[in-house]
Amino acid sequence: MHFMKQPAFLHALLSTGFGSGYCPVAPGTAGALLATLIWIAYAAFVPASACFWITLALAIAFTWIGVWSTDKVIPYWGEDPKRVVVDEMVGVWIALLAAPAGNIWYALAAFLLFRFFDIVKPLGIRRMEQLPGGIGVMADDIVAGVYSMLIIIAARWIL
């Protein structure tokens, strides 16, 4: 019997956003949606100040985890595999840093803005993909998240 080599389970689990990247349709959207739902869930139970710090901690930790795990799965799955969605999770958490804790409308705006920037890749975002390995996979989504966050900050300031 012939078995195809697979990456270690831990790296497959983390890089695919706890399996959300295996979604057969729009895996990046599934990963971003999972991150948004995680944010909505904990934002309902923690103080607003804690929500910001938890989101920041998740974005930082999963950036590191994303680079590490993506570098481990690339030899098996190829450069920037579609099932790797930890980058989308980080990007949407960055956008959510600007959202008022638990506000569903801002969470929806963060999700939609992030997906727009992630898909269209304007303003130098596409160039980030040229960085090597896991850094390149993560970098474009980090920049998309920052752009989304800045728009939400501006909208909150104007409104």
Side-chain angles (χ1 to χ4, degrees):
M1 226 185 209
H2 173 39
F3 293 96
M4 270 181 54
K5 287 193 65 103
Q6 290 293 319
F9 175 76
L10 176 66
H11 296 297
L13 180 71
L14 294 172
S15 68
T16 62
F18 306 106
S20 62
Y22 290 109
C23 182
V25 179
T29 299
L33 180 61
L34 174 62
T36 305
L37 294 173
I38 289 169
W39 182 86
I40 290 168
Y42 68 74
F45 296 103
V46 301
S49 60
C51 183
F52 173 84
W53 292 109
I54 291 167
T55 307
L56 182 61
L58 285 170
I60 292 168
F62 276 84
T63 295
W64 182 82
I65 288 166
V67 171
W68 176 55
S69 285
T70 300
D71 278 340
K72 298 293 186 187
V73 302
I74 283 174
Y76 300 94
W77 296 342
E79 289 291 323
D80 203 359
K82 296 294 173 218
R83 70 183 82 159
V84 171
V85 298
V86 66
D87 50 332
E88 276 83 5
M89 294 178 74
V90 168
V92 83
W93 281 328
I94 291 170
L96 285 164
L97 287 170
N103 185 303
I104 299 296
W105 298 110
Y106 277 99
L108 179 63
F111 172 80
L112 292 173
L113 280 167
F114 169 72
R115 288 307 292 152
F116 168 77
F117 283 114
D118 186 31
I119 292 166
V120 177
K121 298 188 188 309
L123 306 169
I125 294 173
R126 187 167 310 283
R127 221 171 307 138
M128 297 292 106
E129 293 178 319
Q130 297 169 1
L131 294 169
I135 291 171
V137 171
M138 298 298 295
D140 66 308
D141 295 277
I142 289 169
V143 175
V146 169
Y147 287 163
S148 304
M149 177 183 68
L150 292 174
I151 290 174
I152 293 168
I153 289 169
R156 288 185 66 189
W157 185 75
I158 292 167
L159 301 175

